[in-house]
Amino acid sequence: MALQRDDFEYAGLNSRDDLQVEMGNVVLPSAPAMAEQVTDIPAMYGNQFNGTDFTSRTINIPVSIYCADNQDRFNQVMHNLSGLLLSDDPSDNGKEYPLVFGFEPKVTYWGHITAISDPAPINPGMYDMTLTITFVQSDPRATLPQVEKPLNNGLNTITVDGTARTAPVIQVIPKRPLKYIGFNLNGGQFGLGPESPEDQATAVQPDISVINDPIASMGMWTSDPNAVGGIKTDGKYKYQGSAEIDSNTTVMKVAIVNGKKDFGAMPTNPLDTAWLGPTYRYTGMTEALTNYRVRAGLHHMRYSGTHNGRAMGKAQFSLLNASGNTIGRFVIGDHMQGGKTYVALQLCKPGSTFDDDNHQTLYWGYGPSGAFANKRDEKVKIKTGTATKTVTKTSRSKRGKVTKKTIKETVDKYVTTINKEERNCLTNAWVFMDLTKSGNVYTWELHQYSLYDGHPYRNTNRYLIARGRWVDTNNEYESALGGFGQTFLKHTITEDFNNVQYMAPYMTLTDLQVWKHTQPQPNEPTYIANAGEEIVMDCETDTVTVNGRLASPVWSTDYPQLKPGVNGLTMVGDLDDAKMTLRYLPKLL
């Protein structure tokens, strides 16, 4: 819904509909606060000028509340106003939100509320009031709508609106392996990979693509019992049910059969508790790899609610040897009674069940503690059946005679369980595993991605971002990589045996990439990316990623900026048929 001219919107809240106030005349400041930096030098005529600090910008928003003589309504509006604009949640500290005025709807101011003044009466004795909301921008620049445009190899002419410099974000997906890539912009240079022609000529390609499967078909996967027999997981389990490709996206998930997720038939005996669900083996590997790099993503989501929160899911991507036996796994799983979700990355000797000592844990954890939230445990009462109970009832006739009668009554039987409803960053998470084996050295990364824009998160205090290196000194885990398995399991809970409906966790496998790995020698120039890998050069956050992995620029000045007006941006590299996109936010001083 379009903003009216005398409305504003803050953090998605409309001033008229949500905050229940009417905006007055807003006078935008002509400039941010400025602080001159000078040094007083003895015996010098004047002083030494060291520049000007441009600090925050303050926007005062006058608003009115009209409640006539209705004090209760005025109190309600004030509580609503404070409750929506302010927060006592520590996790909200440091956040800034967008502010948009109806009189300039294409301009966004990012900042935070620092004050709400005391109300002043418009009419004495009435509850028509005016007050001022103070909004402060830590970065005094405003932004216009994001611009996105394709780039060509070589020179590109970019005309930028606004009055301030802005940072380019360039995304490149090459059609062939790249030795180097970069761009020149306004006197600045930015690049990744060996710069000199001599180094480029001798560059080594450490990872040669073997599999690049977007998981768009089940054609390469089989659930034949003989094929999946070597795929192991921890605990008691039974492989049954089926999986399918989501019709809307290229992911593998539990199939929907007769309107329900097909984890297979549930047991009838409450004592028969186990992990149940489909397991598939990938048949597309044509050679076993002694040294390799594997990248795959798992998405796990546990629903909230009395019974949904108690449901347990486990999505496991398995590394297999040529015989189909498990030699490693990447798993996202739940604990009993709604405990917080965990991620594990483990290697194992063929035949290990992960319940023994024949495995090596590279990572096992819950992500950052700052993302953990724990509701008070809830007792859940579940009807388990009925029972016949003998009771004696006493009655008295009109003449006072007492009569006792023994009868049998049917009563309901219940069991009480617990719903913890613990939530962390993995309760609804899309996590990519990136594992490389080079001889007896394993390097790995687990990186959580945004479900909204598909980009990797950067905030290590809120999301799972972990990496490490482990050396198999005794060569106990030297098995060659010969295939993969994918498992979706749910654990039986009390509800399964008592006809209580709930939503089992949602789990998917997204993307599978495999490379044959060659370890470069120290200081040996290497290729920077394979065909189809996404390279993002982000001058806004001063980061570079290759397929989600952080990389460091090899040749660069400071991260170049676009200036208002006409810019010449020159792309360099083997990019003639690459898909290249420039994104930026025009800014206003």
Side-chain angles (χ1 to χ4, degrees):
M1 178 176 167
L3 281 175
Q4 298 184 36
R5 184 173 180 80
D6 55 351
D7 288 350
F8 69 88
E9 185 177 273
Y10 172 72
L13 300 170
N14 183 275
S15 57
R16 188 182 305 272
D17 297 333
D18 301 311
L19 304 179
Q20 300 172 9
V21 299
E22 292 190 19
M23 184 178 74
N25 291 330
V26 175
V27 179
L28 295 174
S30 56
M34 292 178 279
E36 180 189 28
Q37 300 297 320
V38 297
T39 302
D40 185 11
I41 299 177
M44 176 181 176
Y45 184 79
N47 52 32
Q48 179 175 307
F49 176 60
N50 299 318
T52 301
D53 290 340
F54 295 89
T55 59
S56 60
R57 172 161 58 179
T58 300
I59 300 176
N60 291 309
I61 308 171
V63 299
S64 300
I65 301 171
Y66 294 99
C67 297
D69 59 350
N70 191 333
Q71 183 179 11
D72 290 340
R73 171 164 168 71
F74 172 74
N75 292 338
Q76 179 185 0
V77 171
M78 286 301 298
H79 287 311
N80 180 64
L81 185 68
S82 298
L84 292 175
L85 293 182
L86 307 178
S87 173
D88 61 354
D89 186 345
S91 65
D92 289 337
N93 289 337
K95 290 183 180 180
E96 294 197 312
Y97 298 95
L99 170 68
V100 179
F101 293 107
F103 54 78
E104 51 173 10
K106 292 185 177 180
V107 179
T108 302
Y109 301 89
W110 286 85
H112 53 281
I113 302 295
T114 62
I116 302 175
S117 69
D118 291 336
I122 297 174
N123 300 311
M126 305 296 284
Y127 288 94
D128 297 334
M129 303 282 180
T130 62
L131 54 88
T132 300
I133 299 171
T134 303
F135 175 84
V136 175
Q137 292 178 269
S138 56
D139 181 340
R141 293 168 294 186
T143 62
L144 295 169
Q146 177 177 283
V147 175
E148 180 174 323
K149 63 174 299 180
L151 294 175
N152 301 313
N153 197 16
L155 177 63
N156 297 265
T157 300
I158 312 296
T159 303
V160 177
D161 292 334
T163 58
R165 295 188 311 154
T166 188
V169 178
I170 297 176
Q171 178 198 51
V172 178
I173 301 177
K175 293 293 181 65
R176 57 179 62 86
L178 279 184
K179 296 179 180 180
Y180 73 103
I181 187 176
F183 66 91
N184 300 314
L185 173 64
N186 295 328
Q189 292 184 338
F190 182 91
L192 187 66
E195 183 178 9
S196 71
E198 294 81 9
D199 286 342
Q200 291 169 15
T202 59
V204 175
Q205 188 174 359
D207 297 321
I208 299 174
S209 181
V210 175
I211 295 173
N212 185 5
D213 189 342
I215 317 296
S217 167
M218 294 295 293
M220 289 291 183
W221 299 85
T222 178
S223 60
D224 182 271
N226 294 323
V228 302
I231 300 174
K232 306 295 184 182
T233 188
D234 58 303
K236 183 181 177 183
Y237 60 89
K238 181 180 180 181
Y239 295 151
Q240 58 181 31
S242 60
E244 65 184 5
I245 301 301
D246 191 305
S247 58
N248 298 314
T249 59
T250 56
V251 302
M252 186 196 299
K253 65 180 183 67
V254 179
I256 303 298
V257 176
N258 297 325
K260 294 183 178 180
K261 294 176 183 176
D262 184 21
F263 289 99
M266 292 296 105
T268 57
N269 185 352
L271 299 178
D272 188 12
T273 58
W275 291 99
L276 306 171
T279 285
Y280 285 75
R281 180 177 170 183
Y282 188 75
T283 62
M285 285 282 285
T286 58
E287 64 173 318
L289 302 176
T290 302
N291 296 306
Y292 55 83
R293 177 185 167 200
V294 180
R295 186 174 187 269
L298 292 177
H299 177 205
H300 164 279
M301 177 174 63
R302 188 177 77 237
Y303 299 94
S304 62
T306 300
H307 300 287
N308 300 336
R310 287 174 31 78
M312 290 179 285
K314 180 162 63 176
Q316 177 175 306
F317 175 77
S318 301
L319 307 181
L320 310 178
N321 63 14
S323 300
N325 295 312
T326 304
I327 59 172
R329 70 169 182 171
F330 163 43
V331 58
I332 305 181
D334 293 310
H335 288 302
M336 293 179 62
Q337 300 178 330
K340 55 186 177 181
T341 306
Y342 69 92
V343 160
L345 178 59
Q346 298 171 307
L347 305 174
C348 72
K349 300 174 184 178
S352 171
T353 62
F354 298 99
D355 287 324
D356 51 32
D357 294 328
N358 294 321
H359 66 273
Q360 172 67 37
T361 298
L362 304 180
Y363 180 87
W364 201 103
Y366 303 104
S369 58
F372 174 63
N374 185 15
K375 291 186 178 180
R376 183 181 300 229
D377 290 357
E378 174 190 14
K379 291 184 177 180
V380 180
K381 193 175 180 181
I382 298 174
K383 181 180 176 182
T384 60
T386 59
T388 302
K389 184 171 69 172
T390 301
V391 296
T392 301
K393 289 195 172 182
T394 302
S395 61
R396 186 184 297 272
S397 67
K398 291 182 179 179
R399 295 181 179 180
K401 183 179 179 180
V402 176
T403 302
K404 291 185 178 181
K405 185 179 181 181
T406 301
I407 63 172
K408 291 184 177 181
E409 282 188 345
T410 299
V411 295
D412 293 332
K413 292 172 61 179
Y414 293 91
V415 65
T416 300
T417 59
I418 298 296
N419 178 20
K420 294 180 179 295
E421 197 80 35
E422 295 178 354
R423 304 186 69 79
N424 60 349
C425 70
L426 303 173
T427 305
N428 182 13
W430 184 24
V431 180
F432 272 89
M433 172 208 73
D434 201 325
L435 174 68
T436 298
K437 177 183 181 294
S438 180
N440 65 345
V441 179
Y442 292 84
T443 54
W444 58 271
E445 178 175 322
L446 296 171
H447 206 133
Q448 189 171 347
Y449 274 57
S450 169
L451 294 166
Y452 302 101
D453 61 18
H455 292 146
Y457 285 119
R458 301 289 173 223
N459 188 343
T460 57
N461 296 318
R462 301 286 298 170
Y463 304 102
L464 174 62
I465 304 171
R467 54 182 62 89
R469 180 177 182 270
W470 179 72
V471 180
D472 180 15
T473 54
N474 296 322
N475 294 317
E476 296 180 278
Y477 301 92
E478 75 280 4
S479 297
L481 178 69
F484 306 97
Q486 179 57 39
T487 304
F488 300 117
L489 302 174
K490 90 174 191 69
H491 200 282
T492 51
I493 58 177
T494 306
E495 285 83 344
D496 289 314
F497 305 102
N498 297 285
N499 198 30
V500 177
Q501 299 300 311
Y502 65 91
M503 296 177 69
Y506 175 78
M507 299 171 285
T508 68
L509 169 68
T510 66
D511 299 318
L512 171 59
Q513 294 176 282
V514 184
W515 297 267
K516 185 176 182 178
H517 179 74
T518 301
Q519 184 63 36
Q521 297 300 313
N523 301 318
E524 186 175 20
T526 64
Y527 283 64
I528 61 167
N530 292 300
E533 292 189 322
E534 179 193 53
I535 303 167
V536 178
M537 297 176 282
D538 189 339
C539 295
E540 181 74 39
T541 60
D542 293 353
T543 60
V544 187
T545 59
V546 178
N547 235 23
R549 273 184 164 182
L550 284 171
S552 299
V554 176
W555 40 284
S556 68
T557 58
D558 290 339
Y559 287 85
Q561 302 284 300
L562 292 163
K563 63 183 182 181
V566 178
N567 298 257
L569 189 156
T570 302
M571 297 296 302
V572 293
D574 192 1
L575 303 169
D576 284 341
D577 52 359
K579 179 182 178 182
M580 296 183 286
T581 305
L582 167 68
R583 298 182 182 88
Y584 64 91
L585 283 170
K587 295 185 178 181
L588 298 170
L589 292 173

